[in-house]
C-alpha cells in the first residue's frame, strides 16, 4: 500500500510508532503532488523545502524524545484564504496575488503548534465565492474522479488534494457549503463546524456571520483528528465561543444509541438527481440497519434559504471587500505590486504613498473615461478594483451594495435577517424530534467545467441544501455515500444542533464502519 | 443687540477617550509617535484581522454618558459605516447607528441674559431650569451698583456613541510633487461622539457649552480634551430662523468644520450667522431648497469657505458589524458607574457656595480651573480656616501667578498647607495683607520656606507690651486726634497707624487701631 493511501489516522499511528518518518511521509506526498497536480491543479503553492525542513525537525525531535504535538509529521494543506505569515495568501484573487500577511491565522498557529507539516496552499474560488473553483483568478481545479469536471467550491483545491491523495488532511472554509459541497463532489469527508467553534482570526473574510473554518479528510476519524486541533476559543475573535473542545478522536468510535434521523421533506423535490436520491435513500437504510429510526421533518422556510443567503452574504462581502482599494496593500492599478507585504513580519512601519494626485500611467480606453468628478484618487480606486477583482466577486459586491443602500435596506437586508431567524426556528423545531438531519449535500454530482459558468443562478441553487447550516450556525458534514452511474462520488449531508460536532462525527463514523465508500479513490494517471 | 433673526446651533463633539490602547486592538494611542509605528493587522485593516472591543473605552464612554444625564439602553451594538477614504483602511468605520450606547441627555450651562438685572434678584440659590441664579463678575464691590446676571439652561444631548477614529492623511503639495501620505497611528483610537440638540442660540452660548463640556470631561478623567492634538474636535450645524411678514422661515443648514479652538468656534459661528443672513437677503433660499453644505473655517481670513455641497445625505450603508457582539449593560452596571462619577462641576460649585460661603462667581472661577485646583483650594481653606480668604488669595494671587507662568496648579511652588498657614497668620493679625503678599512673593521667587520668607521680608513679631507702649506714645503726641475720636470722628486713627508703621514696620495695623481706640475709650490718655 502506498504511503499516501493511508488515512491520516493510520498515518499518524505509523508516525507515532516510528514505523515511518515524517520526512518519508512528506516526500511521498510531495512526489504525489509532483506527479498528479499538473492534471488536478489543486495547489496554488507547494512549500516543498519548508515542509521537508519541518518534517526533518519533527523527526529529530522525535528521536530526541522531545514532546510533540498531536499532528506531528502529518502533512496538511491550507486553503489559500488562511493567512500564513510571510507567505503568499492570495484568496484566489489577482487583488492579493502578491500579498504576504505579516501574521498567521489562529488556525495556522494552532496547526504549527500541533507540529503539522504545512505542505502548501490550495486553489479556491476567488474570495471563496463560487461552487466550482472556476472563479479562481489563476486556473480552475479539476475533479480527480473526472478531470473534465469541477471539484466543487469554493474549497475545491483542498477537497481535490485529499481526494487525489496529495495530502492526508486539508483545511477549508465554508460560507454556504464551501467545505461540504466539494467534499461531496470529490468523495471525501468534510465538516463545517458550528459558527464560533473555530476562530476566524486570519481567515480572509467573505461573509463574517457565515464563514467557518473546517477540516477535510478521507474519513470522519481524520476530520475528528484535525478538528480537535482547529477548534477552541480565541480571544482575538469576538464571535469565537468559549467552551471546551471535546476529544472528538477519542469519542468517535462510540456508536449513537437509539439514533433518530430526520429526512427533510423539502430536500427531496424538484432538481434532485435520481442517482443522488437513491444513494441517499440507500444510506438511510444503512443507518436503519444500524438501529436508527427515521422520520420525515419539515423545514418550511428552506425554499427561501438560498435567496436569504444571497442577500446576507453579498451584503457582508460588499463591506468586507471594501478594504481592497489599492491604497494599503494588494493590487493597485498601474503600480502593482505594492511594496507592503514584502518579507516577513512587516508591521507597517513605512509611510505609504498614495499616488492620489498623480495622473494614471495608462490612460483609460475611449468610452471609459471617468467623469470629471472623478479625481485621481477615485480613478485609482475604480481601476484597482475593476482590474483586481473577477466577475463573480464584482457581481456579489454590487448585489450587496445595492441591498444595503438607503431605501432597499429594509426590503432586502432586514427582511433577510428576519427570514434567517425563521429558518433557525425551523431547524430548532426539527431537532426537537431528531438527533441528526440527513439528506443530499448537492442536487447533482460534479458537473462539467464551463457548464454553468454563464449561469450564476444555477450555480447559486447548487448550494440549496448547505446554506441552511451557515444561516443558522449549526454544524454540517459531508461523507461519501455512493457513486453515480457515471462513476462520480455522491455525498451524504449530516447536520446536527449547535456544538454537536461530536454527534455528527460519531454518526459519520458509524456509517463508515458499515460502508466502504470512503475508501474509494480515484484512478489517476501519473506523470513522471 | 437685536439681530433680525434667531441663530440655531447644534454641535457634534468628538472626544478621544483616555485609554492606553485602541478601540479594537491593543496598539498604543499615544500621540506623537513616528508615523505608522503604532499599528497592527487589526487597525490597518489587514485581510483576516478581527476587532475585539476595548472594555476600558466602553467604561469611559458609559461614565461620560451617565454624567451627561443620558438614558443608557440595556442593549447596544456596533455598526459599519461604509465609505471610501485613503485613511480609512477597512473601507468602513466601526461606529454605532440606530442603537447608540446612550441617548437623550442634557448638559446644564450658564447663559448670560440680554439685559442686566438689579441686585437682589440675582442672588439666591439655584433651583430649576432657566432661572436667575448668580451675580456676574463685576469690578464694583458687592452690594454696590448694578450687576448683570446669568441663568442656567439645559442643552439637550441627542446621543453619545462610540466609534473608532480614522488615520491621518498628509498632503504634500510641494511644487512638482503631489504625494499624499497616510499615518495610521490614530486609526482605531476610541472616540465618543456627543451630538447636541440644536438648542444653542448664539456663538457665545456654543462656546459656553463647549467649555462646560470640556470641564465635565476633565473632571471625569475620560479625555485630555487637547484640541491641538485632536483629542477634542468640534463640528457645528447652524442656520437661522428669520421672522418675515410671511411668517418664520429657516435658512439652509450649514455644517461648519475645521475649527481648532473654542474661540474659533465662536468666531466661525458669528461669521456664518451673518453670512447666512446676507445670503438669505440675496437669494431668499430657505431650508430644503438647496442641498446641505459643508463649510470650513479659515483662520487666516476669518471666514468660512464652501467645502462641498452634498447632493443628498450620504449613503453610508450602515449595517450591524458581524465581527462584534452586541453589548448588554445591566442596571447595576449603570448604577455602579453613577456612584463612581465623583463630584461633578455643578455639584462642586454648589458645595463651594454653601459650605465655604463663597460667591457664585468665585466658585465658578475655581471650579472652571479643574479638580486639581479645587482640591488645592480645599486644603488652603482648611488650613487657614476661612473659605473666603482662601478664595480671594486663590484668585488674586495663585491664579495670576499660574497665568503668568503658563503652568497648572501641580507646578505651583507653594504647597497648599503652607499658603494656608500664611493666610492663617494674616487672618490672625500677625501681619497685614500687603506684607502677606510680600511673604508669598518671597516664597515664589526664592523658593523659601514660610519662616525664611517672613524673616526675609523683615517681619519680626512685636510684643504686645511694645505695641501698647508705641500706641501710648502716639496718642500722647496727637491730642487733637484723640479729641476727635472722642467726639465720634475715628477717621484720624488712620494717621496714627501710618505713624506707627513708620516707627516699626512690623506692628500689626489692626492691633494698633484696636489698642488706640481702647485707650481713648478707657480714658487712658
Amino acid at each position: 500500500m502506498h504511503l499516501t493511501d493511508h488515512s491520516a489516522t493510520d498515518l499518524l499511528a505509523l508516525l507515532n510508532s516510528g514505523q515511518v518518518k515524517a520526512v518519508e511521509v512528506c516526500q511521498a506526498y510531495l512526489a504525489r503532488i509532483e506527479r498528479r497536480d499538473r492534471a488536478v491543479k489543486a495547489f496554488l503553492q507547494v512549500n516543498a523545502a519548508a515542509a521537508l525542513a519541518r518534517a526533518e525537525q519533527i523527526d529529530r525531535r522525535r528521536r530526541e524524545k522531545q514532546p510533540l504535538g498531536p499532528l506531528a509529521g502529518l502533512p496538511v494543506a491550507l486553503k489559500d484564504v488562511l493567512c500564513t505569515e510571510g507567505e503568499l495568501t492570495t484568496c484566489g484573487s489577482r487583488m492579493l496575488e502578491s500579498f504576504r500577511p505579516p501574521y498567521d491565522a489562529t488556525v495556522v498557529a494552532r496547526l504549527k503548534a500541533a507540529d503539522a507539516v504545512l505542505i502548501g496552499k490550495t486553489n479556491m474560488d476567488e474570495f471563496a465565492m463560487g461552487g466550482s473553483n472556476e472563479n479562481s483568478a489563476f486556473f480552475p481545479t479539476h475533479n480527480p474522479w473526472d478531470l473534465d469536471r469541477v471539484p466543487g467550491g469554493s474549497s475545491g483545491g483542498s477537497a481535490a488534494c485529499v481526494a487525489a491523495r496529495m495530502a492526508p488532511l486539508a483545511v477549508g472554509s465554508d460560507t454556504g457549503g464551501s467545505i461540504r459541497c466539494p467534499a461531496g463532489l470529490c468523495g471525501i469527508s468534510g465538516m463545517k463546524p458550528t459558527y464560533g467553534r473555530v476562530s476566524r482570526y486570519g481567515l480572509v473574510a467573505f461573509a463574517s456571520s457565515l464563514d467557518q473554518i473546517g477540516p477535510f479528510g478521507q474519513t470522519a476519524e481524520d476530520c475528528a483528528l484535525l478538528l480537535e486541533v482547529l477548534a477552541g476559543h480565541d480571544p482575538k475573535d469576538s464571535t469565537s465561543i468559549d467552551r471546551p473542545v471535546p476529544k472528538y478522536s477519542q469519542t468517535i468510535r462510540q456508536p449513537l444509541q437509539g439514533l433518530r434521523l430526520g429526512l427533510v421533506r423539502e430536500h427531496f423535490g424538484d432538481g434532485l438527481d435520481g442517482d443522488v436520491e437513491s444513494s441517499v435513500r440507500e444510506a438511510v437504510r444503512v443507518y436503519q440497519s444500524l438501529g436508527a429510526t427515521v422520520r420525515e421533518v419539515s423545514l418550511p422556510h428552506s425554499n427561501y434559504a438560498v435567496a436569504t443567503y444571497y442577500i446576507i452574504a453579498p451584503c457582508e462581502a460588499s463591506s468586507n471587500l471594501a478594504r481592497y482599494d489599492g491604497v494599503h496593500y494588494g493590487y493597485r492599478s498601474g503600480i502593482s505590486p505594492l511594496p507592503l507585504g514584502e518579507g516577513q513580519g512587516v508591521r507597517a512601519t513605512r509611510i505609504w504613498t498614495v499616488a492620489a494626485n498623480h495622473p494614471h500611467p495608462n490612460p483609460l480606453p475611449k468610452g471609459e473615461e471617468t467623469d470629471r468628478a472623478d479625481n485621481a484618487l477615485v480613478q485609482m480606486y475604480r481601476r484597482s478594483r475593476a482590474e483586481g477583482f473577477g466577475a463573480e466577486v464584482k457581481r456579489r459586491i454590487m448585489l450587496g451594495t445595492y441591498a444595503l443602500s438607503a431605501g432597499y435596506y429594509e426590503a432586502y437586508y432586514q427582511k433577510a435577517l428576519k427570514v434567517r431567524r425563521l429558518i433557525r426556528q425551523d431547524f430548532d423545531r426539527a431537532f426537537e424530534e431528531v438527533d441528526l438531519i440527513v439528506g443530499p449535500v448537492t442536487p447533482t454530482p460534479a458537473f462539467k467545467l464551463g457548464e454553468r459558468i454563464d449561469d450564476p443562478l444555477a450555480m447559486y441553487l447548487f448550494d440549496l441544501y448547505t446554506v441552511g447550516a451557515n444561516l443558522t450556525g449549526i454544524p454540517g458534514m459531508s461523507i461519501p455515500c455512493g457513486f453515480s452511474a457515471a462513476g462520480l462520488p455522491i455525498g451524504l449531508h449530516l447536520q446536527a444542533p449547535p456544538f454537536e460536532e461530536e454527534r455528527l462525527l460519531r454518526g459519520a463514523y458509524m456509517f463508515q464502519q458499515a460502508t466502504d465508500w470512503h475508501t474509494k479513490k480515484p484512478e489517476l494517471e501519473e506523470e513522471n | 443687540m437685536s439681530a433680525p433673526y434667531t441663530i440655531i446651533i447644534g454641535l457634534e463633539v468628538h472626544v478621544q477617550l483616555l485609554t492606553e490602547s485602541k478601540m479594537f486592538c491593543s496598539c498604543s494611542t499615544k500621540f506623537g509617535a513616528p508615523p505608522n509605528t503604532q499599528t497592527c493587522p487589526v487597525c490597518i485593516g489587514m485581510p483576516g484581522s478581527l476587532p475585539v472591543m476595548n472594555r476600558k473605552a466602553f467604561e469611559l464612554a458609559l461614565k461620560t454618558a451617565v454624567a451627561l444625564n443620558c438614558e443608557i439602553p440595556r442593549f447596544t451594538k456596533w455598526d459599519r459605516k461604509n465609505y471610501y477614504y485613503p485613511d480609512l483602511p477597512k473601507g468602513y468605520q466601526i461606529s454605532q447607528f440606530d442603537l447608540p450606547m446612550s441617548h437623550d441627555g442634557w448638559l446644564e450651562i450658564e447663559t448670560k441674559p440680554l439685559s442686566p438685572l438689579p441686585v437682589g434678584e440675582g442672588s439666591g440659590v439655584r433651583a430649576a431650569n432657566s432661572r436667575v441664579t448668580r451675580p456676574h463678575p463685576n469690578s464694583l464691590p458687592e452690594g454696590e451698583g448694578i450687576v448683570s446676571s446669568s441663568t442656567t439652561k439645559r442643552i439637550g444631548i441627542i446621543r453619545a456613541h462610540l466609534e473608532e477614529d480614522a488615520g491621518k492623511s498628509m498632503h504634500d503639495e510641494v511644487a512638482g510633487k503631489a504625494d499624499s501620505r497616510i499615518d495610521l497611528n490614530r486609526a482605531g483610537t476610541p472616540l465618543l461622539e456627543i451630538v447636541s440638540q440644536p438648542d444653542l442660540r448664539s456663538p457665545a452660548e456654543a462656546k459656553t457649552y463647549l467649555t462646560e463640556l470640556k470641564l465635565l470631561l476633565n473632571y471625569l478623567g475620560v479625555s485630555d480634551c487637547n484640541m491641538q492634538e485632536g483629542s477634542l474636535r468640534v463640528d457645528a450645524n447652524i442656520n437661522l430662523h428669520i421672522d418675515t411678514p410671511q411668517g418664520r422661515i429657516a435658512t439652509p443648514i450649514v455644517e461648519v468644520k475645521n475649527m481648532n479652538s473654542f474661540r474659533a468656534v465662536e468666531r466661525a459661528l458669528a461669521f456664518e450667522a451673518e453670512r447666512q443672513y446676507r445670503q438669505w437677503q440675496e437669494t431668499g433660499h430657505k431650508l430644503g431648497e438647496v442641498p446641505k453644505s459643508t463649510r470650513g473655517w479659515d483662520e487666516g481670513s476669518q471666514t468660512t469657505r464652501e467645502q462641498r455641497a452634498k447632493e443628498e445625505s450620504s449613503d453610508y450603508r450602515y449595517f450591524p458589524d458581524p465581527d462584534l457582539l452586541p453589548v448588554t449593560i445591566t442596571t447595576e452596571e449603570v448604577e455602579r458607574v453613577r456612584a463612581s462619577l465623583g463630584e461633578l462641576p455643578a455639584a462642586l460649585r454648589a458645595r463651594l457656595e454653601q459650605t465655604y460661603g463663597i460667591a457664585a462667581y468665585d466658585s465658578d472661577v475655581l471650579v472652571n480651573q479643574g479638580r486639581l485646583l479645587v482640591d488645592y483650594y480645599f486644603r488652603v481653606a482648611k488650613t487657614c480656616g476661612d473659605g473666603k480668604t482662601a478664595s480671594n488669595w486663590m484668585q488674586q494671587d495663585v491664579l495670576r501667578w499660574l497665568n503668568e507662568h503658563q503652568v497648572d496648579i501641580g507646578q505651583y511652588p507653594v504647597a497648599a498647607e503652607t499658603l494656608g498657614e500664611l493666610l492663617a497668620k494674616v487672618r490672625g493679625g500677625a501681619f497685614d495683607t500687603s506684607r502677606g503678599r510680600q511673604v508669598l512673593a518671597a516664597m515664589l521667587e526664592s523658593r523659601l520656606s514660610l519662616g525664611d520668607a517672613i524673616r526675609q521680608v523683615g517681619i519680626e513679631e512685636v510684643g504686645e507690651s511694645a505695641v501698647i507702649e508705641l500706641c501710648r506714645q502716639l496718642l500722647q503726641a496727637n491730642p487733637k486726634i484723640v479729641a476727635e475720636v472722642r467726639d465720634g470722628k475715628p477717621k484720624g486713627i488712620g494717621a496714627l497707624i501710618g505713624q506707627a508703621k513708620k516707627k516699626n514696620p512690623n506692628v500689626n495695623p489692626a492691633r494698633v487701631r484696636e489698642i488706640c481706640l481702647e485707650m481713648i475709650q478707657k480714658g487712658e490718655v
Side-chain angles (χ1 to χ4, degrees):
Chain A
M1 190 175 180
H2 195 281
L3 211 47
T4 60
D5 289 335
H6 288 287
S7 72
T9 308
D10 292 347
L11 212 47
L12 190 63
L14 292 174
L15 281 161
N16 285 340
S17 64
Q19 288 171 269
V20 293
K21 291 195 168 59
V23 168
E24 293 170 77
V25 172
C26 189
Q27 280 166 339
Y29 279 102
L30 289 171
R32 268 274 147 100
I33 293 169
E34 184 69 26
R35 285 195 293 272
R36 289 182 169 176
D37 203 40
R38 247 168 288 178
V40 178
K41 293 178 170 296
F43 284 94
L44 289 174
Q45 303 161 62
V46 177
N47 308 325
L52 279 170
R54 180 90 175 135
E56 268 167 30
Q57 184 216 48
I58 288 162
D59 283 335
R60 179 176 50 76
R61 282 164 55 207
R62 199 186 297 276
R63 272 198 312 278
E64 291 167 2
K65 307 243 181 297
Q66 288 182 34
L68 288 168
L71 298 180
L74 272 185
V76 177
L78 300 172
K79 185 178 181 180
D80 209 23
V81 71
L82 297 166
C83 287
T84 42
E85 185 181 335
E87 287 172 25
L88 288 175
T89 301
T90 69
C91 263
S93 181
R94 291 271 170 234
M95 189 58 91
L96 292 179
E97 197 171 5
S98 57
F99 175 63
R100 294 175 190 269
Y103 70 104
D104 273 335
T106 295
V107 291
V108 173
R110 293 179 81 108
L111 285 167
K112 284 181 178 173
D115 290 320
V117 174
L118 302 179
I119 197 165
K121 306 288 286 283
T122 61
N123 197 13
M124 57 186 282
D125 285 300
E126 184 177 7
F127 283 103
M129 297 177 188
S132 69
N133 252 47
E134 292 165 295
N135 294 335
S136 165
F138 307 111
F139 44 77
T141 296
H142 300 255
N143 191 314
W145 293 88
D146 178 348
L147 295 174
D148 291 334
R149 292 178 185 269
V150 302
S154 64
S155 314
S158 287
C161 79
V162 173
R165 307 301 191 248
M166 295 189 287
L169 295 170
V171 183
S173 67
D174 188 316
T175 306
S178 285
I179 289 174
R180 292 160 291 158
C181 292
L185 301 193
C186 290
I188 60 164
S189 305
M191 188 211 274
K192 179 202 93 77
T194 311
Y195 186 77
R197 179 72 289 184
V198 178
S199 167
R200 293 185 295 114
Y201 190 80
L203 166 71
V204 179
F206 159 17
S208 314
S209 76
L210 304 162
D211 294 341
Q212 190 62 199
I213 294 167
F216 285 104
Q218 288 179 27
T219 66
E221 239 182 331
D222 290 359
C223 289
L225 201 61
L226 184 49
L227 180 62
E228 227 169 88
V229 171
L230 300 179
H233 179 242
D234 179 9
K236 287 192 237 166
D237 174 0
S238 311
T239 63
S240 119
I241 309 285
D242 191 3
R243 55 190 283 165
V245 178
K247 293 276 172 208
Y248 303 117
S249 62
Q250 289 171 22
T251 57
I252 192 168
R253 288 178 197 82
Q254 301 164 12
L256 294 166
Q257 304 295 337
L259 175 64
R260 300 170 302 162
L261 291 182
L263 280 178
V264 178
R265 185 183 308 146
E266 292 82 3
H267 287 182
F268 290 87
D270 286 347
L272 180 59
D273 175 90
D275 287 352
V276 173
E277 177 166 4
S278 52
S279 289
V280 169
R281 293 207 184 272
E282 180 52 36
V284 171
R285 277 190 287 279
V286 170
Y287 272 112
Q288 283 174 310
S289 74
L290 296 170
T293 55
V294 180
R295 65 191 304 169
E296 200 172 70
V297 292
S298 177
L299 300 174
H301 298 93
S302 62
N303 279 347
Y304 304 107
V306 170
T308 304
Y309 174 83
Y310 276 97
I311 289 172
I312 292 174
C315 282
E316 295 183 10
S318 71
S319 174
N320 282 334
L321 272 64
R323 70 192 64 199
Y324 309 109
D325 56 7
V327 176
H328 300 290
Y329 40 72
Y331 179 81
R332 181 191 294 174
S333 176
I335 312 187
S336 190
L338 282 185
L340 180 70
E342 285 164 4
Q344 297 202 350
V346 180
R347 269 185 62 99
T349 47
R350 79 194 70 208
I351 305 170
W352 295 301
T353 299
V354 180
N357 300 313
H358 288 308
H360 198 275
N362 323 311
L364 283 167
K366 250 203 144 37
E368 283 183 38
E369 286 117 341
T370 49
D371 59 62
R372 281 200 295 179
D374 265 15
N375 59 26
L377 173 67
V378 174
Q379 214 183 104
M380 192 267 283
Y381 283 156
R382 287 170 63 134
R383 297 180 55 127
S384 299
R385 289 170 71 79
E387 294 161 20
F389 288 137
E392 183 59 29
V393 171
K394 287 180 200 166
R395 184 178 293 127
R396 297 199 195 190
I397 290 173
M398 285 189 280
L399 279 172
T401 304
Y402 179 82
L404 285 177
S405 298
Y408 300 98
Y409 179 87
E410 290 77 12
Y412 294 106
Y413 183 73
Q414 214 156 55
K415 179 72 86 42
L417 289 187
K418 286 178 188 159
V419 180
R420 186 178 187 172
R421 275 195 292 277
L422 294 174
I423 292 170
R424 173 69 192 251
Q425 284 169 17
D426 285 352
F427 275 93
D428 288 347
R429 232 168 265 135
F431 282 123
E432 284 169 13
E433 298 172 18
V434 299
D435 304 314
L436 292 175
I437 291 174
V438 296
V441 74
T442 55
T444 70
F447 48 88
K448 290 213 157 137
L449 281 155
E451 193 182 311
R452 298 185 184 182
I453 198 80
D454 296 321
D455 190 352
L457 203 57
M459 207 75 107
Y460 294 175
L461 286 169
F462 207 66
D463 299 333
L464 178 67
Y465 308 129
T466 48
V467 292
N470 301 85
L471 289 169
T472 57
I474 64 170
M477 187 164 188
S478 178
I479 53 173
C481 72
F483 287 87
S484 70
L488 297 168
I490 291 168
L492 180 71
H493 192 205
L494 303 174
Q495 294 176 94
F499 297 101
E500 292 294 349
E501 285 82 3
E502 195 182 72
R503 188 190 296 172
L504 213 49
L505 289 163
R506 286 166 65 188
Y509 181 84
M510 270 169 84
F511 184 80
Q512 293 185 337
Q513 288 305 103
T515 59
D516 63 356
W517 304 114
H518 60 286
T519 65
K520 308 289 185 201
K521 55 181 182 180
E523 297 299 324
L524 279 162
E525 280 183 30
E526 302 220 329
E527 297 175 38
N528 286 306
Chain B
M1 202 54 211
S2 57
Y5 50 77
T6 308
I7 308 175
I8 311 294
I9 299 167
L11 295 179
E12 277 179 31
V13 178
H14 284 88
V15 181
Q16 184 180 321
L17 297 174
L18 266 181
T19 52
E20 296 283 317
S21 58
K22 293 184 179 180
M23 189 67 236
F24 297 110
C25 66
S26 54
C27 290
S28 167
T29 52
K30 217 164 162 246
F31 180 82
N36 297 309
T37 53
Q38 286 169 180
T39 57
C40 75
V42 177
C43 58
I44 66 175
M46 277 272 167
S49 65
L50 293 170
V52 176
M53 184 185 82
N54 181 342
R55 272 262 143 214
K56 174 81 180 169
F58 195 86
E59 277 168 30
L60 295 181
L62 194 58
K63 204 171 168 182
T64 312
V66 170
L68 285 170
N69 307 292
C70 284
E71 284 178 37
I72 312 294
R74 301 290 154 255
F75 176 93
T76 183
K77 68 176 171 72
W78 302 99
D79 298 285
R80 292 186 183 177
K81 180 180 182 179
N82 295 285
Y83 66 96
Y84 285 93
Y85 206 72
D87 59 24
L88 188 71
K90 296 190 295 297
Y92 59 84
Q93 178 193 28
I94 304 176
S95 181
Q96 300 197 285
F97 183 50
D98 54 337
L99 297 172
M101 48 106 36
S102 69
H103 59 89
D104 291 307
W106 46 266
L107 178 67
E108 200 166 76
I109 63 165
E110 305 287 325
T111 61
K112 291 166 187 136
L114 298 179
S115 51
L117 287 163
V119 167
E121 285 183 47
S123 59
V125 286
R126 50 177 68 213
N129 196 8
S130 289
R131 185 195 37 78
V132 176
T133 51
R134 65 181 47 181
H136 188 67
N138 201 296
S139 54
L140 291 170
E142 254 183 84
E144 284 176 53
I146 302 291
V147 296
S148 58
S149 298
S150 305
T151 60
T152 61
K153 177 175 174 181
R154 278 184 185 181
I155 305 303
I157 305 291
I158 297 176
R159 57 189 282 160
H161 73 253
L162 260 172
E163 60 188 27
E164 57 174 350
D165 206 347
K168 211 164 71 183
S169 298
M170 288 162 290
H171 304 292
D172 181 2
E173 310 269 334
V174 179
K177 262 176 72 184
D179 282 355
S180 294
R181 285 159 187 274
I182 297 161
D183 177 6
L184 294 178
N185 281 352
R186 208 180 64 183
T189 297
L191 290 182
L192 186 67
E193 180 175 333
I194 302 167
V195 185
S196 88
Q197 294 279 6
D199 286 348
L200 300 159
R201 291 290 170 270
S202 70
E205 226 173 76
K207 189 185 173 194
T208 306
Y209 166 82
L210 290 171
T211 309
E212 186 67 18
L213 180 63
K214 182 181 170 181
L215 187 66
L216 180 73
L217 297 168
N218 249 313
Y219 270 78
L220 294 170
V222 296
S223 175
D224 62 17
C225 297
N226 186 329
M227 281 186 97
Q228 267 64 50
E229 294 178 5
S231 51
L232 191 148
R233 282 167 254 164
V234 184
D235 298 332
N237 280 292
I238 172 170
N239 73 339
L240 309 178
H241 287 178
I242 306 170
D243 284 316
T244 72
Q246 289 74 43
R248 173 166 285 205
I249 63 102
T251 59
I253 297 173
V254 170
E255 184 172 4
V256 184
K257 290 178 175 285
N258 197 34
M259 299 170 290
N260 293 322
S261 66
F262 291 173
R263 213 170 59 159
V265 171
E266 194 177 12
R267 288 182 180 175
L269 292 174
F271 174 86
E272 187 55 25
E274 283 175 34
R275 191 198 64 79
Q276 285 188 18
Y277 188 64
R278 275 198 316 276
Q279 181 159 326
W280 175 76
Q281 286 176 315
E282 285 164 23
T283 65
H285 282 154
K286 290 185 284 212
L287 182 63
E289 291 177 353
V290 289
K292 184 183 166 179
S293 61
T294 302
R295 301 181 70 88
W297 173 245
D298 183 62
E299 195 67 50
S301 66
Q302 298 280 300
T303 57
T304 62
R305 288 184 183 170
E306 173 109 28
Q307 288 186 326
R308 68 194 148 120
K310 290 179 184 170
E311 292 306 314
E312 49 200 295
S313 69
S314 303
D315 187 356
Y316 291 116
R317 287 174 286 117
Y318 280 103
F319 78 107
D321 191 331
D323 287 330
L324 287 161
L325 302 178
V327 184
T328 52
I329 307 142
T330 62
T331 317
E332 292 74 47
E333 269 176 279
V334 175
E335 289 318 310
R336 188 170 47 75
V337 167
R338 203 186 301 284
S340 76
L341 289 182
E343 205 169 16
L344 297 179
L348 201 53
R349 286 188 194 108
R351 180 151 77 99
L352 283 170
E353 289 159 34
Q354 282 152 25
T355 313
Y356 289 80
I358 66 174
Y361 169 73
D362 299 319
S363 75
D364 213 38
V365 170
L366 294 177
V367 170
N368 288 356
Q369 298 299 319
R371 180 76 217 195
L372 276 180
L373 187 121
V374 176
D375 284 339
Y376 184 95
Y377 164 79
F378 282 144
R379 299 204 322 266
V380 175
K382 191 180 169 204
T383 317
C384 86
D386 179 53
K388 278 183 185 165
T389 306
S391 166
N392 290 340
W393 280 70
M394 289 297 294
Q395 292 178 63
Q396 286 164 37
D397 299 278
V398 179
L399 284 182
R400 181 180 302 156
W401 194 90
L402 295 179
N403 261 333
E404 279 167 9
H405 293 79
Q406 286 295 301
V407 294
D408 63 33
I409 190 68
Q411 288 147 282
Y412 192 64
V414 177
E417 285 72 17
T418 311
L419 178 58
E421 267 180 66
L422 170 64
L423 300 192
K425 285 190 189 296
V426 172
R427 283 189 71 222
F431 38 84
D432 68 0
T433 301
S434 66
R435 302 216 80 192
R437 291 227 157 85
Q438 290 172 17
V439 173
L440 182 57
M443 285 196 284
L444 290 168
E445 278 158 27
S446 316
R447 300 287 192 271
L448 296 177
S449 70
L450 179 57
D452 288 348
I454 289 174
R455 270 188 290 283
Q456 197 194 49
V457 171
I459 297 172
E460 279 169 35
E461 210 166 313
V462 184
E464 182 74 357
S465 57
V467 182
I468 292 171
E469 185 47 39
L470 180 62
C471 289
R472 193 184 309 282
Q473 288 170 16
L474 287 171
L475 292 171
Q476 281 165 356
N478 294 284
K480 204 179 155 204
I481 292 176
V482 172
E484 277 172 14
V485 172
R486 283 220 176 91
D487 290 347
K489 285 182 270 180
K491 235 180 164 183
I493 292 282
L496 294 182
I497 293 170
Q499 291 181 37
K501 280 170 89 174
K502 243 177 232 164
K503 286 185 189 264
N504 185 348
N506 288 323
V507 291
N508 179 358
R511 191 70 194 129
V512 171
R513 169 188 289 268
E514 280 167 23
I515 292 171
C516 287
L517 287 173
E518 204 180 312
M519 283 179 164
I520 293 168
Q521 270 168 19
K522 287 183 182 166
E524 287 177 24
V525 285

